């Protein structure tokens, strides 16, 4: 049995209350480990450690800080295979995906922000013949980072790396559903020479230690990625404390497919955008709008690809689709599938749980699922399902496509598939999403602002946006 510990003050420690939660492998449905059910007492230890470590970390020369972050990236790369395997077991994602996306990207996050901290500059405003203003950007102090289960180490490091790069000490909590690679990161940081107390990793529930991190008075900023409801609860809870808050929340992302698209490539890319990581990426497309004249042809091609995609043991090298992350999440998705039928949806493929044999006979597998015939107002077109379930609708003009896409409480990401340049510019200006991909999906440059509008979040991550979030701004005005 794999028993995890918290990583506090540079060492692994059991939770003070000695309480543990089960860690379940989604592909088998079996408990394979225990994780600390930490509480405020563990958090207090982490805060004391972070307070102690803060002055030296804040004043460490940038080059030295960057070297440590590079060494963490190297440590992740050296453990690529072990981390990919751990991620796949914990989350149910194909090990091949963890190997080529999740883990390399976690290393890139540390590399990127190692570099960014040495390039980060601030502004100066001259008042001719009177004064000069310059802006100091200083680290905040102790910050909290809370991440979800869908891209465990990838999103955990996407927060921790800029927070550390900006000179903060961090108290971080991974999702209790996927804690393993976060636990492994502690050792990697230690081996890389990260001073003890600079990063503290606590395991436990969101309502327990997660909430305690958000409200702790000595934690001055919270960077959160997760569901919109949780984001709203955190925002409500910490509003009276006026701490900095970054929220990366849910999505219900539209894909707009026009008749003039490159057909084969678009089918391939929309298919990936729909079902990668079992549809459990906040950026996955779930509402597919297709121009009327292309609708039937596109539908037939997409459905054929979905029928050919079979869930497999995620540890199989050939697996392209793994398990849903938990029984509770599988049930939630299955409920939405029933709801889609009640709402008048026509099931084109999938729609049911899949039973595999042997080791995976009790795992949480679901066939890729496609519906058509739902109205845009149907709950299944308005609420985030966060699984391998998409809906198809047709449109007959650019205006209609835009209106359907924008008719959502969410505003994270949209994709447009067309070869018409004017249309591309007009739509990108008018789509209410934080990210628009044109003829591509998930093509990421870490310098770009990342995040959503409306109920998809508050603030942006990535590049200088993240460095700004994790620093406090002070204007200095010097009169001549
Ligand atoms: P949750 O909101 O359930 O949980 C996210 C994290 O917050 C977990 O670590 C969770 O802990 C913790 N948490 C839960 N309640 C609280 C609380 N009251 N106070 C503090 N922390 C809390 O999201 P999921 O893990 O289910 O992740 C899926 C969601 O994340 C989807 O909605 C998805 O769209 C969104 N997401 C958004 C992204 C973006 O960039 N916009 C990227 C990836 C995902 P625990 O799990 O232990 O309860």
């Amino acid at each position: 049995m794999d028993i995890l510990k918290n990583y506090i003050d540079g060492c692994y420690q059991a939770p003070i209350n000695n309480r543990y939660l089960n860690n379940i492998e989604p592909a088998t449905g079996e408990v394979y480990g225990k994780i600390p059910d930490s509480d405020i007492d563990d958090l207090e230890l982490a805060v004391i450690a972070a307070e102690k470590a803060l002055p030296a970390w804040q004043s460490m020369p940038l080059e030295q800080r960057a070297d440590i972050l590079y060494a963490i990236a190297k440590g992740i790369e050296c453990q690529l295979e072990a981390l990919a395997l751990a991620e796949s077991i914990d989350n149910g994602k194909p090990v091949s995906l963890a190997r080529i996306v999740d883990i390399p990207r976690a290393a890139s996050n540390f590399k990127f922000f190692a570099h960014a901290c040495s390039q980060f500059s601030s502004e100066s405003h001259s008042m001719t013949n009177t004064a000069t203003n310059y802006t100091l950007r200083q680290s905040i102090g102790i910050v909290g980072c809370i991440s979800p289960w869908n891209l465990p180490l990838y999103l955990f490091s996407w927060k921790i790396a800029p927070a550390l790069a900006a000179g903060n000490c961090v108290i971080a909590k991974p999702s209790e559903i996927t804690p393993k690679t976060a636990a492994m990161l502690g050792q990697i940081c230690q081996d890389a020479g990260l001073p003890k107390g600079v990063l503290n990793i606590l395991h436990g529930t969101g309502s327990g230690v997660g909430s305690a991190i958000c409200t702790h008075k000595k934690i001055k900023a919270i960077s959160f990625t997760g569901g919109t409801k949780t984001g709203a609860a955190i925002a409500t809870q910490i509003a009276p404390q006026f701490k900095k808050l970054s929220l990366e929340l849910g999505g219900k992302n539209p894909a707009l497919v026009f008749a003039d698209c490159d057909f084969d490539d678009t089918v391939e890319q929309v298919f990936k955008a729909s079902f990668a990581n079992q549809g459990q990426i906040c950026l996955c497309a779930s509402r597919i709008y297709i121009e009327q004249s292309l609708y039937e042809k596109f539908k037939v091609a997409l459905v054929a690809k979905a029928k050919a995609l079979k869930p497999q043991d995620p540890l199989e090298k050939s697996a392209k689709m793994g398990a849903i992350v938990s029984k509770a999440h599988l049930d939630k998705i299955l409920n939405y599938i029933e709801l889609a039928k009640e709402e008048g949806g026509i099931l084109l493929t999938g729609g049911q749980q899949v039973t595999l044999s042997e080791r995976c006979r009790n795992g949480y597998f679901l066939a890729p699922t496609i519906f058509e015939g739902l109205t845009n107002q149907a709950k299944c077109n308005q609420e985030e399902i966060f699984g391998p379930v998409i809906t198809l609708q047709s449109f007959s003009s650019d205006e209609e496509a835009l209106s359907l896409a924008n008719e959502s409480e969410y505003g994270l990401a949209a994709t447009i598939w067309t070869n018409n340049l004017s249309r591309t510019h007009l739509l990108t200006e008018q789509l209410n999403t934080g990210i628009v991909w044109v003829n591509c999906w998930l093509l990421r440059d870490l310098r770009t602002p990342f995040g959503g509008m409306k109920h998809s979040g508050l603030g942006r991550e990535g590049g200088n946006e993240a460095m700004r979030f994790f620093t406090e701004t002070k204007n200095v005005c010097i009169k001549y």
Side-chain angles (χ1 to χ4, degrees), residues 102-320:
D102 293 69
I103 310 306
R105 169 59 192 275
S108 297
N109 289 341
F110 279 101
K111 265 190 232 166
F112 178 85
F113 285 105
H115 192 61
C117 73
S118 64
Q119 303 301 310
F120 188 47
S121 58
S122 68
E123 312 86 61
S124 147
H125 299 92
S126 166
M127 301 163 75
T128 315
N129 296 330
T130 313
T132 289
N133 295 271
Y134 66 90
T135 310
L136 272 180
R137 292 194 187 274
Q138 296 166 303
S139 56
I140 299 173
I142 307 176
V143 302
C145 297
I146 298 181
S147 58
W149 48 257
N150 62 324
L151 301 164
L153 191 63
Y154 176 142
L155 291 177
F156 199 56
S157 54
W158 181 232
K159 296 182 176 304
I160 290 172
L164 295 177
N168 301 289
C169 286
V170 176
I171 298 180
K173 189 194 95 63
S175 168
E176 78 191 57
I177 301 169
T178 53
K180 179 68 184 173
T181 48
M184 293 166 78
L185 182 66
Q187 187 64 52
I188 291 170
C189 289
Q190 200 171 352
D191 295 345
L194 187 73
K196 59 184 192 173
V198 171
L199 171 65
N200 303 277
I201 300 168
L202 298 178
H203 300 279
T205 63
S207 55
V209 74
S211 177
I213 291 171
C214 291
T215 51
H216 198 288
K217 287 204 168 58
K218 290 188 173 166
I219 298 181
K220 299 296 180 195
I222 298 294
S223 175
F224 170 83
T225 298
T228 295
K229 271 194 191 145
T230 317
I234 291 173
T236 308
Q237 227 182 353
I238 69 173
Q241 295 184 341
F242 304 109
K243 56 179 74 172
K244 277 186 131 181
L245 178 62
S246 162
L247 297 173
E248 295 298 335
L249 307 176
K252 190 76 186 170
N253 306 311
L256 307 184
V257 179
F258 289 87
D260 68 348
C261 69
D262 295 328
F263 184 79
D264 292 341
D265 186 53
T266 304
V267 171
E268 183 64 35
Q269 296 296 325
V270 170
F271 172 70
K272 264 195 204 146
S274 303
F275 300 117
N277 205 39
Q278 297 73 247
Q280 302 168 133
I281 302 180
C282 55
L283 304 164
C284 275
S286 52
R287 298 180 288 144
I288 317 297
Y289 301 108
I290 307 155
E291 192 165 3
Q292 185 66 59
S293 57
L294 189 71
Y295 186 84
E296 279 306 316
K297 185 178 169 195
F298 194 85
K299 174 177 100 176
V300 168
L302 196 64
V303 169
K305 286 188 82 67
K307 278 188 197 297
L309 178 64
K310 307 285 182 206
Q312 270 178 278
D313 182 342
L315 298 186
E316 293 282 343
K317 270 196 189 136
S318 59
K320 296 268 184 300

Side-chain angles (χ1 to χ4, degrees), residues 39-60:
D39 61 24
I40 184 77
D41 293 334
D42 305 290
L43 175 59
E44 288 303 344
L45 287 184
V47 170
I48 291 168
E51 269 185 313
K52 212 165 39 163
L54 190 61
W57 183 245
Q58 279 177 322
S59 56
M60 182 180 279

Side-chain angles (χ1 to χ4, degrees), residues 6 36 47 61 126 131 210 216 263 370-371 403 408 466:
N6 292 321
V47 170
S126 166
H216 198 288
F263 184 79
I370 305 182
F371 279 99
S403 148
S408 170

Side-chain angles (χ1 to χ4, degrees), residues 364-378:
Y364 315 135
F365 297 92
L366 184 64
T369 298
I370 305 182
F371 279 99
E372 68 175 352
L374 286 162
T375 66
N376 210 39
Q377 295 77 34

